[in-house]
Amino acid sequence: MRFKQTDTPLLAAMQYYVNDGVVPFHTPGHKQGKGMHSKLEQLIGKEALALDLALIEELDDFYEPYGCIKDAQELAAQLYGADHSFFVINGTTGGIYAMILATAGPGQKIIVPRNAHRSIIGGIILSGAIPIFMQPEIDHDLGIAMGVTPETVKATVAEHPDAKAVLIINPTYYGVATDLKQIAEIVHQSGMVVLVDEAHGPHLKFSPRLPLQALDAGADICAQSSHKIIGALTQSSLVHCREGRIRVPHLKSMLQLTQSSSPNYIMLASLDVARMQMAVEGEKLIEKSIDLANWVREEINKIAGLYCFGNEKIGNPGVFEIDPTKVTVTVKGLGLTGAEAEKILRHEYKVQAELSDIYNLLFMITLGDDEDEVRVLLAALADLALKYTKPIEPIEEKWENTHYPAAPQGVLSPRDALFGSTHMIPFDESAGMICAEIVTFYPPGIPLLCPGERITQEIIDYCRRLQQGGMHISGPEDCTLKIIKVVSCT
């Protein structure tokens, strides 16, 4: 390889072009910031705007790289132990689309967990594949889905031996990891491909105290959100794969299909630099984050009414390992919902959580945090518990019947339902009808209903309870869920 991990070949090529005195007669129209309105130009800065470049010879071809982009991607593959790595600039959503399109086509089965992110459902709709859902384990005390067990995967694979691939979410949004190595062995023994949504795992490679990264566990392909945990810009992600079960030329075609032909070079450069940063000091940065997270977890558990789960959950169904940098704080002991606590923290204490659900708040401790930020969080949580605890009607009693509903029956393929003949009806009267859109609460973005599934009264009631808890609906045309789109009878 021509370059070392300390190099940033893509950023270097961009800087050389800008500093070479070229007079640009190409896109973008603002011409290295000179045509940008001062309101944005002053905010972003001339040096950054000058790097907002276009596909020209010396800056390589995003779809068929031969130069600096190719070099940068090869360095990423070397760092993560992949045969091939690809830059993705429309988020891990785009990477997941490409993974699914590359492994399961129209009418072919793909096995996925029921707590799949909406991007997975979107990829299935685009591919025309048939989803076979596995039920993840549920921690009813926390009110969240954990991982799928190897036993569940083994049973599902045996029931659907004609499936093309199994997609695993590892780790989950809440930092829970399953036994991915055993799952990969089970899936490969059945002749299927292992796909991993590793959106929340671009840092796993850099500490033995973290769950095993997907490639090291035997996955054939994975997608990582470099922007979520490490130092890349938002929407900047990576897809890693191994040769053999993945047809790499076909994967490249699917990545071209799902990505812009006008990539943002600043985002691409952020992937190049983030990779270099992790190669040079990733272990130190991640170990610091783990130490901070472990300390804050201990301190939170000293606050009356709050609970922050950790390694004590390991060994429970669906919990093989824990990523400690995901700090989940259960607030039901305060008599608050997660949504209520999130709003109080944001507006009273200027602290913003990553997400909230009925019982919990999720905070992410990353390489961008230090002890000062963590102490602000601890002080805010301690004051929240002191001032806002509700002595009447504990939250667990109020929401005691609010459990994940049973998975709905799949009647049509998601693609057929989405593009078929449909009409709108009141959501409260839709039990028994076939849903024609995605219904999810975001974050975390896990669909409760997918196109092609039969709506149940249990799901209707659950959605209403989540709305009462202040959860935000995403996906359906009517985001208030007064009405819902269903498949018309033929």
Side-chain angles (χ1 to χ4, degrees):
M1 182 175 288
R2 294 190 301 156
F3 294 94
K4 304 185 297 292
Q5 286 293 336
T6 52
D7 296 326
T8 51
L10 177 52
L11 178 62
M14 294 164 60
Q15 291 174 319
Y16 177 84
Y17 180 81
V18 170
N19 294 331
D20 198 34
V22 176
V23 180
F25 288 93
H26 58 74
T27 58
H30 63 73
K31 301 293 181 74
Q32 299 182 8
K34 293 189 291 290
M36 183 71 68
H37 191 280
S38 60
K39 190 169 186 177
L40 192 59
E41 185 266 339
Q42 292 172 6
L43 183 66
I44 296 177
K46 292 181 178 180
E47 290 187 1
L49 287 171
L51 293 173
D52 186 18
L53 299 166
L55 292 168
I56 54 178
E57 181 184 4
E58 61 206 271
L59 296 183
D60 212 346
D61 185 328
F62 187 46
Y63 283 175
E64 292 291 346
Y66 52 83
C68 55
I69 294 177
K70 179 176 182 288
D71 293 331
Q73 291 184 156
E74 287 179 350
L75 285 169
Q78 182 188 65
L79 178 64
Y80 281 95
D83 291 332
H84 301 275
S85 293
F86 301 95
F87 287 179
V88 180
I89 42 81
N90 58 334
T92 299
T93 292
I96 287 172
Y97 286 173
M99 286 200 310
I100 293 172
L101 288 165
T103 52
Q108 296 177 331
K109 294 179 181 178
I110 181 169
I111 298 171
V112 300
R114 182 64 216 183
N115 60 326
H117 187 267
R118 61 180 298 168
S119 62
I120 294 172
I121 305 305
I124 290 170
I125 290 171
L126 291 173
S127 72
I130 306 297
I132 304 298
F133 288 109
M134 301 179 287
Q135 188 63 35
E137 301 299 318
I138 305 296
D139 187 311
H140 292 292
D141 289 335
L142 299 175
I144 61 176
M146 309 310 253
V148 292
T149 64
E151 293 77 16
T152 296
V153 174
K154 186 174 183 179
T156 310
V157 165
E159 188 177 350
H160 299 276
D162 54 338
K164 294 296 181 180
V166 176
L167 192 154
I168 300 294
I169 303 162
N170 202 69
T172 69
Y173 212 146
Y174 296 90
V176 176
T178 186
D179 188 348
L180 186 57
K181 187 172 184 179
Q182 186 179 351
I183 288 173
E185 291 172 356
I186 291 168
V187 175
H188 286 156
Q189 287 169 4
S190 301
M192 301 177 193
V193 181
V194 179
L195 289 65
V196 178
D197 174 356
E198 202 174 33
H200 293 273
H203 61 313
L204 301 183
K205 181 74 173 178
F206 304 98
S207 173
R209 294 193 285 170
L210 294 176
L212 198 62
Q213 75 157 359
L215 289 179
D216 292 341
D220 299 299
I221 186 170
C222 66
Q224 298 176 337
S225 294
S226 306
H227 65 94
K228 280 186 168 71
I229 311 291
I230 61 175
L233 293 176
T234 295
Q235 279 188 225
S236 305
S237 298
L238 289 168
V239 167
H240 307 292
C241 76
R242 295 198 187 282
E243 294 181 350
R245 297 179 183 88
I246 299 295
R247 289 195 296 123
V248 177
H250 184 50
L251 172 62
K252 290 173 65 176
S253 295
M254 296 303 102
L255 284 163
Q256 292 173 13
L257 188 66
T258 57
Q259 297 214 78
S260 172
S261 59
S262 301
N264 184 301
Y265 266 84
I266 298 175
M267 292 169 63
L268 292 175
S270 80
L271 284 167
D272 193 21
V273 174
R275 182 271 316 152
M276 180 273 293
Q277 182 183 31
M278 297 308 294
V280 173
E281 52 183 344
E283 292 183 10
K284 179 184 72 174
L285 293 170
I286 298 305
E287 291 295 342
K288 174 190 170 186
S289 297
I290 294 171
D291 289 339
L292 270 176
N294 284 337
W295 176 68
V296 77
R297 180 174 279 102
E298 291 177 6
E299 295 301 310
I300 290 170
N301 281 326
K302 296 175 183 177
I303 301 173
L306 299 182
Y307 169 61
C308 185
F309 80 85
N311 288 341
E312 74 279 0
K313 292 287 184 180
I314 294 176
N316 289 1
V319 188
F320 185 70
E321 292 180 283
I322 294 288
D323 173 6
T325 68
K326 295 297 187 71
V327 177
T328 302
V329 181
T330 305
V331 297
K332 64 181 182 180
L334 305 181
L336 297 172
T337 66
E340 289 171 334
E342 180 183 14
K343 289 178 181 177
I344 294 169
L345 286 172
R346 168 63 185 89
H347 297 292
E348 296 296 325
Y349 301 97
K350 310 302 181 187
V351 169
Q352 179 60 56
E354 168 68 10
L355 66 80
S356 63
D357 58 37
I358 289 296
Y359 293 154
N360 308 291
L361 296 165
L362 176 62
F363 302 94
M364 297 169 61
I365 307 298
T366 73
L367 49 78
D369 292 306
D370 58 28
E371 188 174 332
D372 290 340
E373 284 83 16
V374 167
R375 287 191 180 278
V376 170
L377 172 61
L378 286 172
L381 288 172
D383 206 54
L384 172 79
L386 182 66
K387 293 181 178 178
Y388 290 92
T389 299
K390 297 180 180 179
I392 302 174
E393 193 183 18
I395 194 71
E396 63 265 30
E397 294 180 12
K398 180 179 179 181
W399 298 94
E400 62 181 351
N401 295 319
T402 306
H403 297 311
Y404 273 81
Q409 174 193 12
V411 181
L412 298 173
S413 77
R415 186 184 183 94
D416 287 344
L418 189 69
F419 293 109
S421 177
T422 62
H423 65 282
M424 307 295 287
I425 64 170
F427 182 56
D428 291 332
E429 301 172 13
S430 65
M433 303 298 290
I434 300 172
C435 188
E437 53 189 348
I438 295 175
V439 177
T440 185
F441 286 77
Y442 199 94
I446 298 169
L448 290 168
L449 281 167
C450 298
E453 294 181 335
R454 194 175 300 282
I455 303 168
T456 64
Q457 188 62 46
E458 184 184 18
I459 289 175
I460 295 171
D461 294 342
Y462 185 74
C463 288
R464 292 305 187 210
R465 295 287 276 173
L466 292 184
Q467 284 181 294
Q468 291 171 17
M471 303 294 105
H472 174 67
I473 301 168
S474 177
E477 289 187 9
D478 175 18
C479 64
T480 67
L481 269 186
K482 292 177 182 176
I483 56 176
I484 191 169
K485 184 187 294 184
V486 298
V487 175
S488 301
C489 297
T490 56

